[in-house]
């Protein structure tokens, strides 16, 4: 199908937007009126630029408050429309979006609305232009798509059809199944937008929080399937009003937009007898390794040893060490330069155990994520990798044949660690504000991970937005974080290790000469006593060991955090029974302690 996007969805000037849209692979574009008004090019020049870029101008929008008006206002509206028709001819656009009337003086009269729309369509036909009538979710009287369709059907003009907008349909909780009652040839345009599920005024929700398909909570797959069953053959077009997108990099956002449509088209192939444009989604089984780059390997080695890891291998050709403890594996990469005297220690890569690593790489490439170039010696393992939105490299490793481990010459017998850690439980990645939604789509579309609800956590100097992504078996867990305001250099990446006996680990760590875990304030434990009745002995043990506690309907959760090196710290967790969360209720206490533990902020609490 043809892919289109409204210019309002991106940042930049109209010419910058057109170039980015074409570069991302779109076929067409909706011209949003404000973008045209601020452009120094004439409509003829814009048309020529679009042709040169291989773009068709699919729609001009919006035309507001035409229907359900007084005779005097109708004449003014028709005069205004005539000017727009002349403009559209110069642009080469043949469809005008007309929104249902949202003004307070709109008249409640379907017959009048149909009559006025018929007059508009008749005048449009003289210019070879079609009218796509859209029910705004906040329309004064017409605010549902089936109501708009009844008016269009009553008007009965070949140049008048309906525009379906997923936000206006789904934000009101309307059943999209009714779309199949509309003949496909009368659906003149289909606009797609996702959104997080928020309890707020629908107009503000629409104007500020729309996002690309796959980034929110709407079931766009079902809606699109209903539209396609009607025989709709027009473009799939994105119309996104989002404050972050309109400030973000234009080209990057356009590519993410195209990725979202490719993924949506792929999802529809699961419910309709259509072929998918993508290789199948292959969910990773778990983490093969996490790779940390550091200019200060001595500090990281010391912390890993304290946690019970053993250095079990050295890479044959790269300055990379393999550290293991049962199934938990860390690669320590020493090839990271000092950054202006700062500790640049950070998480640089994740290895994912995939049952079909080649298919995983092919799907990523089809979703506009080319495989990263990798320098390797001829005898070394072939590992395909792509870059996640935050820059972390993701390596697709063969779960059945972990050939990457053969690149490391052994230094001690494998799994010679002394602790009770046995796997990587989850990994937390930090994202700038303009990449958070992109990351959610990336992990959903590329890896087939299931997104959980977004949550917001307050810390002493800002607000943290967080969203978990997991595979179907719950054996691979990622948490995506976004800091909404400046975080005073607070570390944003951490690796959580699953521990079989976290109490014993905590006791052993407390006996070390130098403390390596965060010291949790007594106030936290006083509050914990109020929240949970665990018995006096257990409360005292948690306080003495510095363990944090959480509980859900499936089980219990014990965890602790290490001190930070650069941008990375570790978490040790023990899931009891079938606990499924991440201890999010304890995040404010952890964040507060980390703030006061950061050298730049330590003086603030003195």
């Amino acid at each position: 199908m043809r892919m289109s996007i409204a210019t309002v969805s991106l940042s930049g000037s109209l010419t910058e937007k057109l170039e980015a849209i074409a570069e991302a692979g779109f076929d067409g574009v909706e011209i949003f009126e404000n973008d045209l008004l601020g452009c120094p090019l004439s409509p003829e020049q814009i048309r020529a630029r679009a042709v040169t870029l291989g773009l068709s101008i699919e729609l001009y929008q919006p035309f507001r408050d035409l229907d359900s008006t007084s005779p005097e206002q109708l004449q003014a509206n028709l005069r205004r429309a005539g000017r727009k028709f002349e403009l559209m001819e110069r642009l080469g656009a043949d469809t005008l979006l007309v929104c249902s009337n949202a003004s307070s003086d709109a008249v409640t009269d379907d017959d009048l609305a149909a009559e006025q729309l018929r007059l508009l369509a008749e005048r449009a036909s003289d210019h070879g232009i079609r009218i796509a009538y859209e029910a705004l979710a906040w329309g004064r009287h017409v605010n549902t798509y089936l109501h708009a369709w009844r008016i269009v059907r009553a008007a009965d003009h070949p140049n008048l059809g309906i525009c379906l907008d997923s936000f206006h349909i789904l934000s009101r909780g309307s059943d999209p199944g009714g779309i199949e009652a509309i003949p496909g040839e009368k659906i003149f345009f289909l606009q797609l937008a996702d959104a997080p599920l928020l309890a707020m005024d629908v107009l503000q929700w629409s104007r500020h929080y729309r996002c690309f398909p796959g980034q929110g909570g709407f079931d766009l797959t079902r809606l699109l399937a209903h539209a396609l069953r009607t025989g709709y053959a027009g473009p799939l077009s994105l119309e996104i009003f989002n404050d972050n997108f309109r400030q973000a990099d234009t080209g990057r956002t356009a590519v993410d937009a195209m990725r979202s449509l490719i993924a949506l088209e792929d999802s529809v192939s699961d419910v309709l007898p259509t072929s998918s444009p993508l290789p199948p989604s292959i969910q990773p089984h778990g983490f093969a390794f996490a790779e940390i780059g550091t200019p200060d390997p001595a500090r990281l080695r010391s912390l890993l040893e304290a946690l019970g890891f053993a250095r079990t291998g050295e890479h044959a050709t790269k300055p990379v060490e393999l550290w293991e403890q049962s199934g938990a594996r860390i690669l320590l990469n020493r090839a990271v330069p000092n950054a202006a005297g700062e500790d640049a220690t950070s998480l640089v890569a994740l290895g994912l155990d995939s049952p079909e690593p080649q298919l995983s790489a092919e799907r990523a490439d089809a979703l506009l994520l080319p495989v990263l170039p990798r320098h390797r010696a001829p005898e070394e393992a072939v590992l395909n990798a792509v870059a996640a939105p935050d820059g972390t490299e993701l390596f697709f490793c063969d779960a059945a044949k972990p050939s990457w481990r053969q690149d490391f010459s052994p230094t001690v017998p494998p799994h010679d660690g002394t602790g009770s850690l046995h796997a990587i439980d989850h990994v937390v990645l930090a994202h700038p504000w303009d990449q958070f939604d992109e990351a959610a789509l990336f992990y959903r579309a590329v890896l087939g991970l299931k997104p959980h609800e977004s949550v917001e956590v307050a810390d002493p100097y800002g607000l943290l937005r967080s969203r978990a992504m997991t595979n179907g078996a719950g054996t691979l867990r990622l948490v995506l974080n976004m800091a909404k305001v400046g975080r005073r250099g607070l570390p944003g990446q951490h690796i959580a290790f699953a521990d079989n006996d976290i109490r014993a680990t905590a006791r052993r760590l407390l006996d070390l000469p130098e403390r390596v875990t965060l010291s949790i304030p007594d106030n936290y434990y006083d509050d914990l006593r109020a929240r949970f009745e665990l018995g006096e002995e257990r409360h005292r043990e948690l306080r003495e060991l510095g363990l944090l506690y959480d509980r859900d309907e499936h089980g219990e959760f014990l965890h602790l955090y290490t001190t930070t090196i650069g941008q990375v710290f570790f978490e040790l967790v023990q899931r009891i029974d079938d606990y499924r969360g991440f201890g999010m209720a304890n995040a404010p206490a952890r964040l507060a302690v980390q703030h006061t533990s950061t050298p730049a902020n330590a003086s603030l609490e003195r």
Side-chain angles (χ1 to χ4, degrees):
M1 299 191 72
R2 302 199 313 279
M3 305 295 193
S4 172
I5 185 171
T7 56
V8 72
S9 308
L10 307 174
S11 67
S13 67
L14 179 55
T15 52
E16 290 172 330
K17 294 179 182 188
L18 292 176
E19 290 169 1
I21 289 167
E23 182 66 25
F26 282 92
D27 305 297
V29 62
E30 301 177 38
I31 299 290
F32 193 70
E33 188 168 68
N34 287 356
D35 288 315
L36 176 72
L37 298 181
C39 182
L41 300 182
S42 69
E44 290 82 4
Q45 290 173 317
I46 295 170
R47 178 178 185 171
R49 179 68 62 89
V51 169
T52 300
L53 293 170
L55 295 173
S56 58
I57 298 179
E58 303 281 357
L59 184 82
Y60 186 73
Q61 64 127 324
F63 194 92
R64 302 186 188 278
D65 299 335
L66 174 120
D67 62 288
S68 309
T69 60
S70 66
E72 296 77 18
Q73 185 59 49
L74 175 64
Q75 291 306 310
N77 286 340
L78 291 175
R79 183 190 63 80
R80 177 164 56 101
R83 294 293 187 185
K84 299 302 179 185
F85 297 152
E86 294 170 1
L87 169 66
M88 291 173 63
E89 287 183 294
R90 297 170 64 192
L91 273 175
D94 66 359
T95 305
L96 175 66
L97 175 68
V98 174
C99 304
S100 63
N101 200 324
S103 64
S104 59
D105 59 355
V107 178
T108 308
D109 187 335
D110 284 6
D111 291 338
L112 178 63
E115 178 185 346
Q116 293 179 345
L117 284 169
R118 187 186 306 113
L119 282 172
L120 180 67
E122 186 62 36
R123 298 199 180 189
S125 66
D126 294 338
H127 299 267
I129 289 172
R130 305 186 309 166
I131 302 299
Y133 184 55
E134 175 185 63
L136 296 178
W138 53 90
R140 182 72 173 174
H141 302 297
V142 180
N143 48 40
T144 66
Y145 75 96
L146 288 178
H147 190 176
W149 165 236
R150 289 195 297 271
I151 293 173
V152 167
R153 184 174 56 191
D156 191 23
H157 194 284
N159 283 59
L160 178 64
I162 193 168
C163 173
L164 298 176
D165 183 308
S166 64
F167 181 86
H168 295 304
I169 295 171
L170 299 177
S171 65
R172 294 186 59 88
S174 298
D175 182 358
I179 291 173
E180 295 194 37
I182 305 172
E185 66 272 13
K186 295 301 285 184
I187 302 175
F188 281 5
F189 212 74
L190 177 61
Q191 292 177 321
L192 299 165
D194 207 338
L197 302 181
L198 303 173
M200 65 185 305
D201 173 75
V202 68
L203 176 58
Q204 297 304 312
W205 188 13
S206 172
R207 293 282 170 83
H208 301 285
Y209 294 98
R210 295 194 192 198
C211 52
F212 296 134
Q215 296 178 342
F218 288 163
D219 187 354
L220 295 185
T221 299
R222 179 173 173 237
L223 183 145
L224 178 55
H226 287 309
L228 295 179
R229 287 192 187 102
T230 69
Y232 173 73
L236 307 183
S237 193
L238 299 171
E239 186 196 38
I240 312 297
F241 297 88
N242 184 293
D243 296 346
N244 288 345
F245 292 1
R246 285 180 284 194
Q247 301 175 65
D249 179 79
T250 310
R252 181 168 185 152
T253 306
V255 170
D256 197 37
M258 176 55 77
R259 181 180 301 122
S260 75
L261 283 180
I262 296 171
L264 178 60
E265 189 178 16
D266 174 64
S267 70
V268 171
S269 68
D270 292 335
V271 296
L272 290 180
T274 59
S275 59
S276 170
L278 298 175
S281 174
I282 306 295
Q283 286 191 347
H285 291 165
F287 295 101
F289 61 82
E291 181 175 350
I292 300 173
T294 179
D296 187 5
R299 288 184 64 201
L300 190 56
R301 290 185 189 117
S302 178
L303 181 55
L304 290 172
E305 287 173 347
L307 295 178
F309 281 83
R311 181 171 175 266
T312 60
E314 178 75 25
H315 198 279
T317 63
K318 299 180 177 68
V320 178
E321 303 166 10
L322 172 60
W323 289 73
E324 295 184 89
Q325 186 174 169
S326 187
R329 304 179 189 90
I330 295 293
L331 302 187
L332 191 159
N333 189 330
R334 305 187 300 270
V336 176
N338 280 299
E342 299 177 357
D343 189 341
T345 298
S346 63
L347 179 67
V348 297
L350 292 172
L352 305 177
D353 279 329
S354 172
E356 297 282 352
Q358 185 57 40
L359 278 179
S360 296
E362 290 173 3
R363 182 176 177 88
D365 185 67
L367 284 162
L368 312 181
L369 292 154
V371 173
L372 295 173
R374 179 170 176 260
H375 301 291
R376 66 179 187 86
E379 67 277 6
E380 292 175 8
V382 176
L383 290 179
N384 292 322
V386 297
D390 69 329
T392 302
E393 295 185 3
L394 301 182
F395 287 90
F396 298 114
C397 305
D398 192 330
K401 301 174 182 177
S403 57
W404 65 271
R405 297 184 65 185
Q406 300 170 10
D407 296 342
F408 291 84
S409 55
T411 54
V412 298
H415 316 308
D416 195 34
T418 58
S420 52
L421 310 186
H422 60 89
I424 294 177
D425 181 88
H426 65 273
V427 173
V428 179
L429 301 173
H431 296 80
W433 59 268
D434 58 340
Q435 296 174 15
F436 186 77
D437 290 323
E438 178 187 351
L441 173 61
F442 170 89
Y443 289 106
R444 188 177 192 171
V446 177
L447 302 183
L449 301 187
K450 176 186 176 182
H452 296 234
E453 290 186 12
S454 289
V455 297
E456 291 184 341
V457 178
D459 75 14
Y461 300 101
L463 193 65
L464 187 72
R465 184 178 168 200
S466 186
R467 191 173 197 181
M469 313 283 294
T470 60
N471 65 359
T475 55
L476 185 136
R477 307 178 185 92
L478 283 168
V479 179
L480 315 178
N481 282 351
M482 178 186 73
K484 285 195 171 182
V485 298
R487 303 296 306 286
R488 296 196 178 198
L490 195 63
Q493 305 168 322
H494 80 260
I495 302 165
F497 299 114
D499 195 331
N500 287 323
D501 191 351
I502 198 169
R503 293 178 178 86
T505 301
R507 290 190 184 92
R508 181 172 57 79
L509 294 177
L510 287 176
D511 288 338
L512 296 176
E514 183 177 348
R515 185 167 189 127
V516 299
T517 59
L518 291 186
S519 180
I520 305 301
D522 284 341
N523 291 332
Y524 166 81
Y525 294 101
D526 292 341
D527 179 69
L528 187 67
R529 187 187 300 274
R531 290 192 294 129
F532 298 106
E533 179 51 63
L534 303 174
E536 186 61 32
E537 182 177 348
R538 196 173 184 197
H539 275 295
R540 183 171 57 252
E541 180 187 48
L542 293 173
R543 187 189 300 260
E544 290 173 353
L545 297 179
L547 291 173
L548 297 98
Y549 176 88
D550 192 30
R551 175 194 297 165
D552 65 14
E553 63 271 27
H554 304 289
E556 297 177 293
F557 189 63
L558 298 175
H559 58 139
L560 61 81
Y561 298 93
T562 72
T563 52
T564 299
I565 301 177
Q567 289 295 306
V568 178
F569 60 96
F570 299 120
E571 180 183 7
L572 310 185
V573 310
Q574 184 169 3
R575 297 176 183 270
I576 300 170
D577 295 328
D578 190 28
Y579 177 88
R580 299 178 185 179
F582 297 87
M584 195 61 69
N586 298 322
R590 185 262 297 176
L591 290 165
V593 173
Q594 286 182 317
H595 267 295
T596 57
S597 301
T598 302
N601 300 326
S603 62
L604 296 175
E605 298 297 318
R606 292 175 184 166

